[in-house]
Amino acid sequence: MIILKVIYIVRERESNSEEKRLFAFSTLFCRRFHSETDQNGMWWPCGRNGGSSFSSSSTAEQVTEGIDGTGLTAIVTGASSGIGAETTRVLAMRGVHVIMGVRNVVAAKVVMEAILKEIPNAKVDAMELDLSSMISVRKFALEFISSGLPLNILINNAGIFGTPFKLSEDNIELQFATNHMGHFLLINLLLDTIKRTTHESKKEGRIVNISSSGHQWLNYRGGILFDKINDESSYQKFCAYGQSKLANILHANELARRLKEEGVNITANSLHPGAIATNIHRYNRILTGIPGVVKRLLNLVIKNVQQGAATTCYVALHPEVRGISGEYFADNKIAKANSLGRDIDLAKKLWDFSMNLIKVEYLVPIVDADGILRE
């Protein structure tokens, strides 16, 4: 592939071994989607979903066309940029009341203003949420529950990628803390609200975890280093990212199993949005330091933001997904996670491990048995 060869020439001499591993993953990813054609001979740089309603080139607007989300309320984390912002825009376009869970409220307000300028009757609000901080997650959940709003859809989109080693304020490796633990706690705190909304509205609740195909290639041996989550000497930034994305899948799978056992009308799924150029890559010079001409060539083999948000909006809103739970999606269809992502015992182990990482006081129900809010 010419594009990848150009990048290789540019980066080979200055990339360390871990960056070369990321490059190898990118090569495999692009080869998979490079030259697929449909029955009319049309080239689809990102591949095509043969025989189904949508393809990997479909946009979020296209996969939700004709769907009326009026009366639904959704939370989208990491909604101030990238696919989170586009997901918010398109859900709002379909009538959904969207709550943006964001670290940067100022940036979120800019997104909100743009949405309202395009869609004057859109219902969009922003609330501060730092998923690396359990205090922040609980504060967000308390404020949301205090608002009295229903909750039909929870989209766990926020994430960081390939950061240097750092512990969160809760002393958990930062990527694992942000990408997995923050969302794990958030779901635990808001699940009763989703259940109540589902019961009162008679509408299916949906929980969506944004994962990545990186869980297949960028991971540690065994998938998750339970005994070395916070071990700096074992830390590899891209493997740590893959570990957290595998956790997103396992979390959704185990949650789906528990919800099915409980008999509630709530689904939980995970998905890969596609290879997208967003600011999640800001920590990695192999992805941010590529010359402009190469970036333009890369645009032929990666999705734009509108396409990148499509699978999220599809899983969150489309009637075709009704009743489907515990699945992994890519390109607007059910896909297949790797063997670790389908490991039932590993999912259960991760659930217990995650519960043990959360301080007891953060798990105290926000609403008591009498319906009284707790601080």
Side-chain angles (χ1 to χ4, degrees):
M1 293 176 60
I2 296 174
I3 296 172
L4 291 173
K5 285 181 179 178
V6 172
I7 300 172
Y8 185 81
I9 292 170
V10 171
R11 282 298 179 201
E12 170 62 18
R13 292 184 179 180
E14 55 184 286
S15 297
N16 60 34
S17 59
E18 195 174 0
E19 288 175 332
K20 288 178 181 177
R21 182 173 183 176
L22 176 63
F23 176 80
F25 161 69
S26 302
T27 303
L28 288 169
F29 181 89
C30 290
R31 280 176 178 168
R32 176 183 175 188
F33 296 116
H34 177 60
S35 58
E36 296 183 20
T37 57
D38 64 15
Q39 59 185 355
N40 298 315
M42 178 65 184
W43 178 55
W44 294 91
C46 291
R48 183 172 175 82
N49 182 1
S52 69
S53 303
F54 308 106
S55 73
S56 62
S57 62
S58 298
T59 66
E61 286 192 28
Q62 289 171 339
V63 303
T64 58
E65 186 175 1
I67 297 175
D68 184 5
T70 304
L72 300 178
T73 301
I75 291 175
V76 180
T77 69
S80 60
S81 66
I83 63 174
E86 177 66 2
T87 297
T88 298
R89 185 187 72 85
V90 173
L91 292 184
M93 176 182 289
R94 303 309 177 207
V96 180
H97 181 187
V98 184
I99 311 299
M100 306 167 67
V102 297
R103 285 187 301 175
N104 189 337
V105 176
V106 174
K109 287 182 178 178
V110 173
V111 173
M112 288 170 55
E113 290 172 1
I115 291 173
L116 290 170
K117 184 175 181 180
E118 177 189 357
I119 314 162
N121 62 342
K123 298 176 68 176
V124 185
D125 295 294
M127 294 172 55
E128 186 174 359
L129 172 63
D130 180 355
L131 285 152
S132 71
S133 164
M134 293 189 190
I135 290 178
S136 177
V137 172
R138 186 170 177 85
K139 181 174 180 288
F140 174 90
L142 176 62
E143 290 179 355
F144 180 82
I145 293 172
S146 299
S147 74
L149 288 169
L151 182 56
N152 305 90
I153 304 166
L154 175 55
I155 299 176
N156 299 308
N157 167 79
I160 56 176
F161 172 74
T163 58
F165 180 83
K166 184 180 179 181
L167 296 180
S168 71
E169 64 182 47
D170 301 295
N171 291 315
I172 301 171
E173 187 274 308
L174 191 60
Q175 291 192 80
F176 194 78
T178 305
N179 297 354
H180 168 63
M181 287 301 304
H183 288 126
F184 182 87
L185 176 58
L186 184 65
I187 290 175
N188 270 274
L189 294 175
L190 293 178
L191 192 55
D192 283 344
T193 302
I194 304 176
K195 289 178 180 178
R196 184 173 64 253
T197 301
T198 299
H199 176 73
E200 293 175 353
S201 68
K202 308 302 180 187
K203 295 178 180 178
E204 179 181 82
R206 297 189 182 184
I207 298 171
V208 184
N209 281 0
I210 312 306
S211 180
S212 168
S213 63
H215 81 276
Q216 302 182 56
W217 313 102
L218 304 172
N219 54 33
Y220 297 111
R221 181 172 297 180
I224 296 177
L225 301 181
F226 291 105
D227 298 329
K228 296 183 178 180
I229 285 292
N230 299 331
D231 181 10
E232 185 173 3
S233 65
S234 303
Y235 184 75
Q236 298 179 51
K237 61 184 180 181
F238 297 131
C239 289
Y241 172 76
Q243 172 179 252
S244 71
K245 295 290 100 179
L246 173 61
N248 293 150
I249 297 171
L250 294 171
H251 175 206
N253 292 353
E254 176 62 10
L255 179 60
R257 185 189 69 79
R258 289 168 178 256
L259 292 170
K260 184 177 180 180
E261 273 190 1
E262 198 173 336
V264 294
N265 188 24
I266 302 171
T267 63
N269 292 291
S270 58
L271 63 89
H272 168 55
I276 310 156
T278 67
N279 66 359
I280 194 174
H281 304 298
R282 60 190 176 274
Y283 294 100
N284 301 287
R285 62 192 177 90
I286 193 171
L287 297 175
T288 58
I290 295 172
V293 63
V294 179
K295 286 184 179 179
R296 288 191 289 274
L297 290 171
L298 269 177
N299 286 334
L300 296 174
V301 293
I302 62 176
K303 293 183 179 183
N304 58 36
V305 171
Q306 292 75 25
Q307 294 167 331
T311 304
T312 300
C313 291
Y314 175 75
V315 176
L317 210 56
H318 205 284
E320 288 180 357
V321 188
R322 185 177 293 120
I324 298 175
S325 193
E327 296 288 353
Y328 172 73
F329 288 76
D331 296 333
N332 307 299
K333 67 178 184 293
I334 294 176
K336 192 174 183 180
N338 68 2
S339 58
L340 290 170
R342 304 190 305 273
D343 190 319
I344 297 173
D345 292 331
L346 186 61
K348 292 178 180 178
K349 183 177 181 180
L350 174 66
W351 186 282
D352 293 338
F353 178 78
S354 301
M355 290 294 290
N356 288 332
L357 280 181
I358 300 173
K359 295 178 182 178
V360 175
E361 59 265 34
Y362 296 141
L363 284 171
V364 174
I366 290 176
V367 179
D368 65 21
D370 297 320
I372 306 299
L373 285 169
R374 293 171 172 165
E375 292 295 333

